[in-house]
């Protein structure tokens, strides 16, 4: 078995180390049923997600991924300026007609976007502290021993 075959087997088994995981095998419930609609309408789905974030949160985002799901497409978005955060937006699908739902059937899970924005604000407000935490975790990630993170690192 080749190295890439072994990595795919680990991904299928759910045993891939976090550092090696690149999203392979990521699926949502009934995504296989909505996949053709999502693939056909991907550009419009992305436009709707971007417009939703702009209209609702006055935030410019870029789309990182579109994942088919039950009766919807889940759009993973990223904001870069002035606050960096990642979140998702849901674009509804009409499974009977095999097309996108009529406008404006776009939403997000309650509190999900707000929580992501709050996290981005914390990172911006405590930039130096997060850089120290990043440095600490990068130094310790290759060690095999367990670490107890003390308050001074947080």
């Amino acid at each position: 078995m080749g190295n890439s075959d072994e990595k795919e087997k680990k991904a299928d088994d759910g045993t891939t180390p976090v550092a090696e995981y690149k999203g392979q095998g990521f699926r949502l419930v009934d995504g296989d049923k909505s996949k053709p609609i999502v693939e056909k309408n991907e550009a419009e789905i992305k436009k709707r997600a971007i417009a939703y974030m702009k209209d609702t949160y006055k935030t410019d985002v870029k789309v990182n991924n579109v994942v088919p799901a039950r009766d919807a497409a889940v759009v993973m978005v990223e904001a870069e300026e002035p606050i960096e955060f990642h979140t998702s937006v849901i674009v509804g699908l009409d499974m009977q007609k095999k097309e996108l739902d009529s406008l404006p059937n776009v939403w997000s899970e309650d509190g999900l976007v707000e929580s992501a924005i709050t996290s981005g604000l914390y990172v911006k407000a405590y930039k130096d502290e997060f850089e120290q935490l990043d440095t600490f975790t990068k130094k310790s990630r290759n060690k095999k021993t367990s670490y107890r993170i003390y308050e001074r690192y947080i």
Side-chain angles (χ1 to χ4, degrees):
M1 179 181 276
N3 194 23
S4 64
D5 291 338
E6 187 173 319
K7 285 182 181 180
E8 283 299 316
K9 184 178 183 318
K10 284 182 179 181
D12 290 341
D13 292 343
T15 59
T16 301
V18 173
E20 294 176 14
Y21 182 68
K22 303 292 184 218
Q24 62 272 31
F26 183 72
R27 292 184 280 288
L28 294 172
V29 175
D30 289 340
D32 55 329
K33 295 176 183 173
S34 62
K35 187 176 180 179
I37 303 168
V38 171
E39 288 176 344
K40 178 182 173 187
N41 297 286
E42 187 170 351
E44 180 62 25
I45 290 168
K46 288 178 179 181
K47 284 182 195 175
R48 289 184 184 190
I50 291 168
Y52 173 82
M53 290 298 294
K54 184 70 170 176
D55 295 344
T56 308
Y57 298 98
K58 311 297 184 240
T59 303
D60 292 321
V61 295
K62 70 177 185 178
V63 173
N64 289 333
N65 198 6
V66 179
V67 182
R70 177 180 289 154
D71 301 331
V74 178
V75 184
M76 311 299 180
V77 297
E78 173 183 356
E80 295 178 329
E81 290 293 329
I83 302 165
E84 295 179 35
F85 64 90
H86 297 261
T87 191
S88 62
V89 174
I90 302 165
V91 178
L93 304 175
D94 185 333
M95 296 305 290
Q96 298 290 345
K97 295 180 181 176
K98 305 281 187 211
E99 62 186 30
L100 291 176
D101 270 348
S102 59
L103 293 175
N105 196 8
V106 181
W107 69 96
S108 59
E109 291 185 34
D110 288 338
L112 185 69
V113 176
E114 294 83 352
S115 178
I117 292 170
T118 301
S119 296
L121 286 169
Y122 279 124
V123 171
K124 193 170 185 97
Y126 297 101
K127 183 178 181 185
D128 292 339
E129 290 84 348
F130 276 101
E131 285 177 0
Q132 286 178 334
L133 183 60
D134 286 344
T135 301
F136 171 76
T137 56
K138 285 177 185 173
K139 286 180 182 177
S140 64
R141 74 176 167 202
N142 291 330
K143 297 181 180 178
K144 299 287 183 193
T145 58
S146 298
Y147 285 93
R148 181 171 167 214
I149 300 178
Y150 296 94
E151 285 185 23
R152 62 188 164 123
Y153 293 118
I154 297 175

